[in-house]
Amino acid sequence: MAQAWWQRGVVYQIYPRSFMDSNGDGLGDLRGIASKLDYLKWLGLDALWLSPIFPSPMADFGYDVSNYVDIYPPFGNLDDFDHLLAAVHQRDLKLILDLVPNHTSNHHEWFIESRSSRDNPKRDWYIWRDAQPDGSPPNNWLSYFGGPSWTWDETTGQYYLHSFLAEQPDLNYRNPEVKKAIADSIRFWLKRGVDGFRVDVIDRMIKDEQLRDNPLNPDWVEGRDNPTWKYLRVYSENQPGVHDLIQELRQVFEEFKDRVMIGEIAYSTDPTLITGFYGTDEAPEIHLPFNFALLMLPWQAEAVRSFVDLYEASLPADGWANYVLGNHDQMRIGTRIGLEQARVAAMLILTLRGTPFIYYGEELGLRDVDIPPHLYQDPQGINLGISRDPQRTPMHWDNSPNAGFTTGEPWLPLSPDYPVLNVVSEQADPTSMLMFYHTLLGLRRYTPALHAGSYRSVESPEGTFVYVREHAGKQYLIALNFWNVGRALTLPGRGKVILSTHMDRGDAVAELHLRANEGVVVELIG
Ligand code: GLC
């Protein structure tokens, strides 16, 4: 069967605040993104996913939506959006938006109505409960961003539930009107021509009906561990009923042709937790339930190989894999494993079987930027000291002031290495990270075995991960050295190295000598 675009292609995540500022206010915007499409096309991508662009008070930088069917004014307006979408499609790229249905902003008119009185028709759109007799919250659930999941509301004398900030009240998906309102918001964008959505915390949209207390986490240690993990989220995540809800949402996508639904589910290295969200032929769920395992596993060849093998084995027959190396919530890969291994990681996700997700700036080798606590903007940094600002800093376009991102004052400081690590300088250096990504993306695109072929891992020396991708009789072997010492391996035949992470070899070999931190793609010849 022919592959869908979201199976064949590579998705690039843009954090709109930090991509390109067209009007000098220090914030990226839609016109800025539109001005960089030729770069993204040149790089070799297929689809762009924009983190939320909807009106928002920005308590959680757009993950607190106050209107699902409009644009955050500093980013532009609906005309700018239509212009961007047309320009994306003109280049044969796809555009994916970010839907945040679990919660709205407390400034959303639905919540303003809901909190206005106990008998307001939208009261039940959110989760309101009485205090316990001693005045404490209805249960012991904790917000992911610190403190209880419940906030007392004076006006009506009840608590409301919020899995994240108090500014992000959770919607009540046991109410059919809420489902319809969100479905209509999805339709609004899909009708406009949007190619799909990444759906935020989709596995948390339904809560235990009785709102039972979560049990204590036996591994949690006070003072050592993040306070938000004190209780196991047994009753507040992944509840029975969530699959029915996801199936209903999927049907909205099915009203349109060729759209994709990507779902953010809990970060896990247990492949069956991920593959449990594909649904079945009769009751399909998420096209691409996010696989975040590479962000969590120790960076060791054996750990990665055994995960990939297990994940491959647990995918349902027509379930399509995906791999993520970075996003706006996680430390950048170059910071976590170093830039040499970041090339190995790029070769890994761009040669595995499944849709790769690339976070903006990874192609330049951007690393986390040190943001002093007094400049923290992220509520998770302010409340819990675990700031996500370091991975959200502006993109580096050139070596002019502020890396060409803005003519104004950037909303977050830039990395001091931008005069060297930027698009223009790296395009001029044939072995830069950018040229490596560009070459690798081209190789994946024009090699059917790499985007469509089968996968099988091969026994290999410790510290290496070796696998073969095969399509229509053509075989490619990928050999990745996770160690910083050389490793030798014997090929299952003769081969020709067609790309190295070091970008300096193209030799025919029978014995393969991998240098320290080297990955290679080898075309096997008979
Ligand atoms: C998701 C987003 C994260 C956000 C949270 C609450 O995990 O990726 O950025 O803070 O949901 O919406």
Side-chain angles (χ1 to χ4, degrees):
M1 210 172 85
Q3 284 184 300
W5 62 267
W6 48 268
Q7 297 176 315
R8 194 178 52 241
V10 176
V11 184
Y12 183 85
Q13 180 188 357
I14 290 178
Y15 198 66
R17 281 178 93 78
S18 288
F19 200 62
M20 181 62 200
D21 174 15
S22 72
N23 62 0
D25 64 0
L27 289 185
D29 46 49
L30 299 185
R31 286 190 173 270
I33 297 171
S35 72
K36 295 299 184 186
L37 293 179
D38 289 335
Y39 162 72
L40 297 168
K41 184 71 187 173
W42 165 82
L43 183 55
L45 303 162
D46 301 275
L48 313 176
W49 148 34
L50 310 185
S51 278
I53 54 171
F54 314 111
S56 162
M58 294 284 155
D60 187 21
F61 294 103
Y63 287 91
D64 49 322
V65 176
S66 54
N67 179 350
Y68 287 101
V69 291
D70 205 346
I71 303 291
Y72 175 58
F75 288 170
N77 55 32
L78 284 168
D79 285 341
D80 297 325
F81 178 80
D82 289 338
H83 164 79
L84 172 64
L85 183 60
V88 164
H89 285 163
Q90 218 170 45
R91 287 165 180 78
D92 203 18
L93 296 166
K94 304 283 186 185
L95 193 67
I96 299 166
L97 297 185
D98 202 323
L99 180 77
V100 189
N102 177 68
H103 43 269
T104 67
S105 158
N106 59 340
H107 290 243
H108 197 295
E109 63 178 35
W110 300 342
F111 187 70
I112 295 173
E113 281 190 47
S114 181
R115 86 189 312 179
S116 65
S117 76
R118 288 199 189 201
D119 53 17
N120 183 279
K122 293 212 168 49
R123 181 65 170 182
D124 182 53
W125 281 40
Y126 294 83
I127 301 172
W128 293 95
R129 288 293 183 280
D130 290 335
Q132 296 200 44
D134 65 355
S136 60
N139 66 22
N140 67 0
W141 295 1
L142 295 177
S143 149
Y144 294 94
F145 289 152
S149 269
W150 296 94
T151 288
W152 177 253
D153 195 56
E154 279 300 333
T155 322
T156 54
Q158 277 192 317
Y159 281 96
Y160 67 87
L161 181 75
H162 51 88
S163 301
F164 295 88
L165 296 174
E167 290 86 347
Q168 295 168 293
D170 283 34
L171 283 163
N172 174 17
Y173 281 90
R174 296 188 188 276
N175 181 322
E177 290 173 23
V178 172
K179 288 196 270 194
K180 172 151 191 332
I182 286 294
D184 286 344
S185 313
I186 298 174
R187 290 185 184 104
F188 175 89
W189 294 104
L190 295 184
K191 272 188 204 144
R192 245 184 155 85
V194 164
D195 300 290
F197 276 100
R198 172 264 190 194
V199 186
D200 196 65
V201 296
I202 195 166
D203 55 345
R204 277 153 264 188
M205 291 172 67
I206 289 266
K207 318 309 183 272
D208 177 44
E209 198 151 21
Q210 301 162 49
L211 300 173
R212 279 169 281 189
D213 274 349
N214 278 326
L216 260 179
N217 176 353
D219 299 327
W220 182 84
V221 176
E222 179 134 35
R224 184 194 71 181
D225 295 327
N226 182 332
T228 71
W229 297 109
K230 180 167 178 187
Y231 300 102
L232 297 173
R233 292 191 158 87
V234 170
Y235 294 113
S236 46
E237 280 184 1
N238 209 347
Q239 293 304 294
V242 79
H243 293 280
D244 299 334
L245 175 61
I246 294 174
Q247 287 157 20
E248 285 181 53
L249 285 178
R250 169 67 180 265
Q251 284 315 308
V252 181
F253 287 75
E254 293 301 315
E255 292 168 18
F256 300 82
K257 245 188 83 185
D258 236 9
R259 311 302 163 98
V260 69
M261 179 179 178
I262 302 163
E264 187 199 22
I265 52 175
Y267 281 65
S268 173
T269 54
D270 173 355
T272 60
L273 284 184
I274 307 167
T275 54
F277 282 95
Y278 284 98
T280 58
D281 269 359
E282 303 73 50
E285 296 183 21
I286 309 173
H287 291 110
L288 297 175
F290 265 141
N291 161 19
F292 296 125
L294 295 176
L295 294 165
M296 310 178 69
L297 290 166
W299 194 249
Q300 289 163 1
E302 294 70 25
V304 172
R305 174 186 167 177
S306 65
F307 173 81
V308 174
D309 284 352
L310 258 179
Y311 177 51
E312 278 280 343
S314 48
L315 283 166
D318 48 10
W320 184 250
N322 72 88
Y323 292 91
V324 178
L325 274 182
N327 63 35
H328 62 293
D329 294 328
Q330 301 298 320
M331 180 187 281
R332 282 191 182 271
I333 188 82
T335 305
R336 186 158 74 91
I337 64 175
L339 288 183
E340 289 179 303
Q341 280 296 320
R343 287 192 184 219
V344 172
M347 187 172 270
L348 172 73
I349 63 158
L350 288 168
T351 59
L352 279 174
R353 197 180 78 98
T355 303
F357 284 82
I358 299 174
Y359 186 49
Y360 83 97
E362 295 299 339
E363 76 275 23
L364 302 176
L366 291 201
R367 278 168 292 178
D368 286 8
V369 178
D370 248 335
I371 309 283
H374 72 277
L375 294 181
Y376 279 179
Q377 308 251 1
D378 175 24
Q380 187 177 276
I382 295 167
N383 299 348
L384 295 169
I386 314 167
S387 181
R388 297 169 293 180
D389 296 326
Q391 60 265 27
R392 297 176 176 180
T393 60
M395 176 71 176
H396 299 180
W397 295 106
D398 56 37
N399 62 8
S400 68
N402 296 317
F405 162 71
T406 181
T407 53
E409 193 53 43
W411 77 286
L412 277 177
L414 280 94
S415 169
D417 57 15
Y418 80 75
V420 189
L421 288 190
N422 63 65
V423 171
V424 171
S425 313
E426 293 194 36
Q427 278 178 329
D429 168 2
T431 62
S432 65
M433 182 74 95
L434 179 59
M435 293 313 287
F436 173 60
Y437 261 93
H438 172 65
T439 310
L440 193 51
L441 281 158
L443 187 61
R444 180 182 177 93
R445 170 179 309 278
Y446 296 111
T447 312
L450 294 183
H451 61 251
S454 62
Y455 158 91
R456 72 169 188 278
S457 62
V458 173
E459 282 309 320
S460 68
E462 198 185 350
T464 64
F465 177 21
V466 179
Y467 48 94
V468 174
R469 303 288 315 277
E470 179 173 357
H471 182 80
K474 292 210 76 156
Q475 294 194 355
Y476 292 79
L477 176 131
I478 294 92
L480 306 171
N481 184 1
F482 283 56
W483 283 4
N484 63 359
V485 292
R487 309 295 285 150
L489 43 115
T490 313
L491 293 181
R494 278 196 68 74
K496 182 173 179 333
V497 175
I498 50 173
L499 181 65
S500 157
T501 46
H502 296 27
M503 298 198 79
D504 60 355
R505 66 195 271 190
D507 42 340
V509 287
E511 281 265 301
L512 187 59
H513 292 276
L514 288 176
R515 288 165 287 175
N517 303 307
E518 185 179 29
V520 293
V521 179
V522 179
E523 184 180 351
L524 294 177
I525 347 177

